[in-house]
Every structure is written in C-alpha cells, then in structure tokens.
Amino acid sequence: MNRYKLEFTKERDDKIIKEICSRYDVQWSSVLSKNRVRVVVDARRLYCGLLKNTFGLNNSKIAKIINKHHATVLHNINQHDIFVG
C-alpha cells in the first residue's frame, strides 16, 4: 500500500483536514479530542491512515500531531487498512 510518498506540508495537511471534516460533518477539535462517537472515530482513523500510507510518517510522528499514544495510532492504521484493503 506504500507506493507513493508525498512530502507532508501544511497546505496538504489543511486540505486533508478540511475534506475529512466536510465528509464526516465533524469539527476538527472533536477529532483531536477523546470523543469516541463512531463518526469521530472514523474520521480519526482515516486521518491516521492517510498520514501513514500517503506521507509515510511514522506512528510516533502521527501520535504527536493528533496528541494520542503511538499504540492508538497503530490501532487506527491497522483498522484503516482493514477497511480500505
């Protein structure tokens, strides 16, 4: 699944965040929160999967971006790969 690696830039990140918020009809602050409502969890999972598979960021870097534990990020990425795969 890791065919292409794009450079992770602020502009690309902003576009991804805007699209995820629009698609799932959530506020970005709720995605970064501890909220466990299904739609928020799905949005968070998609974001983690995109950062890992598109930009090749490691789990620790993604965890720092979303202020979560790296194991949470690993779980989100595994779930994303199951959903997409």
Side-chain angles (χ1 to χ4, degrees):
M1 191 155 216
N2 297 340
R3 292 184 202 149
Y4 308 105
K5 297 290 183 249
L6 296 174
E7 182 183 352
F8 184 68
T9 63
K10 177 75 171 134
E11 292 79 23
R12 287 181 177 151
D13 188 39
D14 289 343
K15 286 181 183 179
I16 289 170
I17 289 170
K18 182 178 177 184
E19 184 63 30
I20 288 174
C21 289
S22 171
R23 239 172 236 250
Y24 287 96
D25 193 28
V26 296
Q27 296 293 320
W28 188 245
S29 59
S30 65
V31 174
L32 297 178
S33 72
K34 293 183 178 186
N35 193 331
R36 291 173 52 181
V37 174
R38 171 56 49 199
V39 69
V40 174
V41 172
D42 290 345
R44 190 180 303 129
R45 180 180 55 228
L46 176 60
Y47 185 68
C48 290
L50 286 173
L51 292 185
K52 179 71 170 187
N53 296 331
T54 305
F55 299 106
L57 299 180
N58 63 36
N59 296 346
S60 297
K61 177 78 172 173
I62 297 170
K64 195 175 284 189
I65 291 170
I66 64 170
N67 197 26
K68 302 284 181 211
H69 193 269
H70 75 277
T72 303
V73 172
L74 178 62
H75 177 72
N76 283 330
I77 291 167
N78 288 337
Q79 292 300 306
H80 172 76
D81 291 343
I82 289 169
F83 265 41
V84 173

